[in-house]
């Protein structure tokens, strides 16, 4: 045996429990010869007392002993918080299958039948010591990962709080800028064409910034359960038409078609938030639909479910990105790869609103054939499956 292996094994402490002195001597002498530190004891009570004083690395345990059987000793080890992870190998003359099954049921890791071969005992000891070392290493790594995860979560919370504070404080001065630019818009008689164009661009850019800030704040509120659902019973077709009318001025050189329920179809949900979801989906479709392309909005009620879809004729989204675009930080990752399949946090907002209603949202897409964004919301009853507070009223 190499000097290094002898040194490593001399640090290993093995407790031998057997009421037969000859068995104790044979095993103890063998283990010492192999470089282990062996601790022979003749009863289960002595084994427990010795293990509590100095926990061993492994236990070799007989079954038929007075006062406490090996099964009882093993159960006591497994019930002890400081001894429960110590591997226990049974060594017994009992060779019935039920005896072995019981040994494993009480927590044994292995079973050696007497009379035993020394080589077998050595290999089983080495195997279970290696497994224990590996488990301890994995446990330590898991603890490090848990600590790291907790720290990361704390940092993310601090970052989100800081971001929320900064974004919230930005909205007021930006609103002021938009207000002053709007005032200037009423005094454009003395502006030349270029100046008027610059003013309009400044207004549009400022409004985009305000919309982005509002979107981010809304996502933050949804995440923290601070945006209640104001459910009411209204015609879903009316809600969707309001969304299309809000986007009407943007459908330049693009075709919009709607397939909505003909008869009034009142559904019980937060119509203002759902209208904003449709607006976000339309805005996304407009962004990626080429000149002359078609955007189609569809809605139907089916088996107590509201199904709304927005189909565009854009370039399409690769399958590997079809889930990521709904994630809060998915867009940041995609932009690092120079890939953009949605605008801002709009789709994150859509997902959170739909999920707050107990529904689901997704996309099906083919490269070169456009994308179909579809969400489904249960409307058959008033049951709420989200953690958001709910206020309801009827029109």
């Amino acid at each position: 045996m190499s000097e290094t292996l002898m040194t490593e094994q001399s640090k290993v402490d093995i407790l031998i429990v057997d009421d037969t002195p000859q068995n104790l001597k044979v095993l103890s002498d063998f283990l010492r010869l192999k470089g282990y530190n062996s601790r022979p004891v003749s009863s289960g009570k002595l084994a427990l007392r010795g293990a509590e004083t100095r926990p061993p690395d492994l236990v070799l345990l007989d079954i038929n002993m007075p006062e406490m059987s090996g099964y009882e000793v093993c159960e006591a080890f497994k019930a002890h918080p400081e001894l429960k992870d110590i591997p226990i190998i049974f060594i017994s003359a009992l060779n019935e299958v039920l005896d072995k099954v019981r040994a494993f049921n009480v927590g044994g890791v292995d079973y050696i039948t007497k009379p035993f071969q020394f080589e077998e005992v050595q290999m089983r000891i080495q195997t279970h010591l290696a497994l224990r070392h590996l488990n301890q290493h994995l446990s330590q790594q898991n603890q490090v990962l848990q600590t790291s995860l907790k720290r990361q979560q704390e940092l993310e919370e601090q970052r989100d709080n800081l971001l929320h504070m900064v974004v919230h404080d930005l909205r007021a001065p930006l609103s002021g800028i938009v207000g002053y630019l709007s005032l200037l818009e009423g005094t454009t008689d003395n502006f030349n064409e270029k100046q008027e164009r610059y003013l309009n661009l400044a207004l549009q850019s400022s409004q985009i910034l305000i919309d982005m800030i509002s979107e981010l704040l809304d996502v933050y509120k949804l995440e923290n359960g601070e945006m209640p659902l104001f459910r009411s019973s209204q015609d879903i077709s009316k809600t969707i038409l309001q969304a299309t009318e809000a986007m009407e001025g943007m459908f330049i050189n693009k075709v919009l078609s709607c397939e909505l329920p003909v008869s009034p179809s009142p559904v019980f949900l937060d119509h203002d938030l759902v209208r904003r979801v449709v607006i976000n989906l339309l805005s996304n479709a407009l962004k990626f639909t080429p000149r002359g392309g078609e955007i189609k909005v569809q809605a139907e009620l089916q088996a107590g479910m509201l199904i709304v879809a927005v189909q565009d004729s854009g370039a399409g989204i690769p399958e590997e990105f079809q889930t990521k675009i709904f994630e809060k930080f998915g867009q940041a990752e995609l932009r690092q790869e120079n890939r953009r399949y949605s605008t801002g946090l709009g789709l994150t907002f859509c997902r959170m609103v739909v999920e707050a209603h107990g529904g689901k949202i997704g996309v099906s897409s083919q490269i070169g054939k456009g994308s179909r964004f579809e969400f489904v919301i249960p409307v058959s009853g008033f049951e709420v499956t989200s953690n958001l507070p709910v206020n309801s009223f009827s029109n």
Side-chain angles (χ1 to χ4, degrees):
M1 183 180 294
S2 70
E3 185 178 343
T4 303
L5 185 58
M6 284 286 290
T7 303
E8 289 177 354
Q9 294 188 169
S10 65
K11 300 175 185 177
V12 174
D13 197 62
I14 298 179
L15 183 64
I16 310 169
V17 191
D18 198 312
D19 64 326
T20 304
Q22 183 62 27
N23 289 341
L24 283 179
K25 186 176 187 312
V26 169
L27 276 172
S28 183
D29 290 347
F30 168 71
L31 293 177
R32 287 197 182 100
L33 181 65
K34 295 300 180 180
Y36 296 106
N37 178 35
S38 64
R39 293 163 52 191
V41 294
S42 58
S43 72
K45 289 184 177 179
L46 288 174
L48 286 167
R49 194 179 308 160
E52 288 174 345
T53 303
R54 181 161 57 103
D57 296 299
L58 184 140
V59 179
L60 296 177
L61 180 60
D62 187 26
I63 293 178
N64 284 331
M65 296 184 295
E67 295 186 357
M68 289 183 76
S69 71
Y71 298 130
E72 294 171 322
V73 175
C74 186
E75 287 176 330
F77 265 78
K78 297 307 170 184
H80 196 293
E82 295 181 7
L83 306 178
K84 61 185 178 65
D85 294 325
I86 297 172
I88 296 176
I89 300 176
F90 283 93
I91 298 186
S92 174
L94 301 176
N95 59 5
E96 295 293 332
V97 173
L98 290 178
D99 298 319
K100 298 177 182 179
V101 169
R102 186 180 177 188
F104 287 112
N105 281 337
V106 296
V109 297
D110 212 336
Y111 195 103
I112 301 172
T113 305
K114 296 177 182 176
F116 52 79
Q117 299 294 322
F118 288 116
E119 293 79 5
E120 179 187 5
V121 174
Q122 182 183 5
M123 292 308 299
R124 291 179 187 262
I125 287 174
Q126 288 179 359
T127 297
H128 289 291
L129 286 174
L131 286 172
R132 190 188 188 208
H133 176 73
L134 178 60
N135 284 331
Q136 288 174 331
H137 180 65
L138 290 173
S139 179
Q140 291 170 357
Q141 283 189 320
N142 185 57
Q143 186 61 44
V144 171
L145 289 172
Q146 290 289 340
T147 303
S148 176
L149 177 61
K150 184 179 179 182
R151 177 58 180 159
Q152 184 178 350
Q153 289 172 336
E154 290 171 352
L155 289 173
E156 286 182 357
E157 185 177 355
Q158 293 174 9
R159 179 200 61 200
D160 284 349
N161 290 337
L162 177 62
L163 182 61
H164 177 259
M165 181 181 68
V166 171
V167 169
H168 184 273
D169 290 346
L170 278 173
R171 184 158 61 175
L174 271 172
S175 296
I177 291 172
V178 170
Y180 285 119
L181 289 172
S182 298
L183 289 175
L184 277 176
E185 200 174 21
T187 61
T188 56
D189 294 343
N190 298 324
F191 282 23
N192 60 40
E193 186 177 339
K194 182 179 289 187
Q195 290 171 327
E196 192 169 342
R197 178 171 171 271
Y198 288 163
L199 175 60
N200 288 332
L201 288 173
L203 265 170
Q204 290 175 17
S205 298
S206 301
Q207 191 58 54
I208 288 172
L209 282 173
I210 289 179
D211 291 344
M212 289 172 65
I213 288 171
S214 298
E215 207 168 66
L216 184 57
L217 291 174
D218 286 343
V219 167
Y220 181 88
K221 288 178 183 177
L222 284 166
E223 282 182 327
N224 291 278
E226 297 172 2
M227 183 177 284
L229 298 182
F230 290 92
R231 293 175 180 255
S232 64
S233 183
Q234 296 183 41
D235 183 7
I236 189 59
S237 295
K238 180 180 177 182
T239 300
I240 293 175
L241 287 174
Q242 287 173 346
T244 60
E245 287 167 4
M247 305 294 291
E248 189 175 2
M250 301 180 67
F251 281 92
I252 301 172
N253 300 318
K254 295 173 186 179
V255 179
L256 172 67
S257 63
C258 296
E259 295 179 9
L260 307 176
V262 177
S263 58
S265 304
V267 292
F268 191 75
L269 43 75
D270 189 321
H271 284 263
D272 182 56
L273 286 180
V274 170
R275 178 179 57 80
R276 290 176 59 187
V277 168
V278 176
I279 287 175
N280 273 333
L281 294 179
L282 284 171
S283 177
N284 199 67
L286 281 164
K287 177 78 174 178
F288 298 102
T289 296
R291 184 184 294 268
E294 181 183 5
I295 297 171
K296 181 184 293 185
V297 182
Q298 297 172 301
E300 63 175 323
L301 290 169
Q302 192 177 99
M305 307 294 285
L306 169 65
I307 305 170
V308 179
V310 176
Q311 172 82 46
D312 65 49
S313 50
I317 304 170
E319 186 176 355
E320 62 268 27
F321 300 123
Q322 290 178 14
T323 300
K324 189 169 288 188
I325 58 175
F326 293 98
E327 297 172 4
K328 183 176 178 181
F329 297 110
Q331 289 302 313
E333 295 176 27
L334 293 176
R335 289 184 189 187
Q336 287 178 352
E337 302 173 16
N338 293 319
R339 300 173 184 269
R340 296 189 65 171
Y341 302 110
S342 73
T343 56
L345 288 169
L347 292 181
T348 304
F349 173 81
C350 293
R351 175 181 61 80
M352 297 186 76
V353 169
V354 170
E355 289 178 354
H357 281 83
K360 294 182 178 180
I361 188 170
V363 61
S364 57
S365 182
Q366 285 184 294
I367 300 300
K369 295 185 178 180
S371 303
R372 177 184 173 88
F373 287 84
E374 181 176 287
F375 65 87
V376 181
I377 295 177
V379 293
S380 57
F382 297 171
E383 181 181 355
V384 180
T385 57
S386 74
N387 294 322
L388 290 179
V390 175
N391 299 279
S392 63
F393 56 91
S394 295
N395 282 353

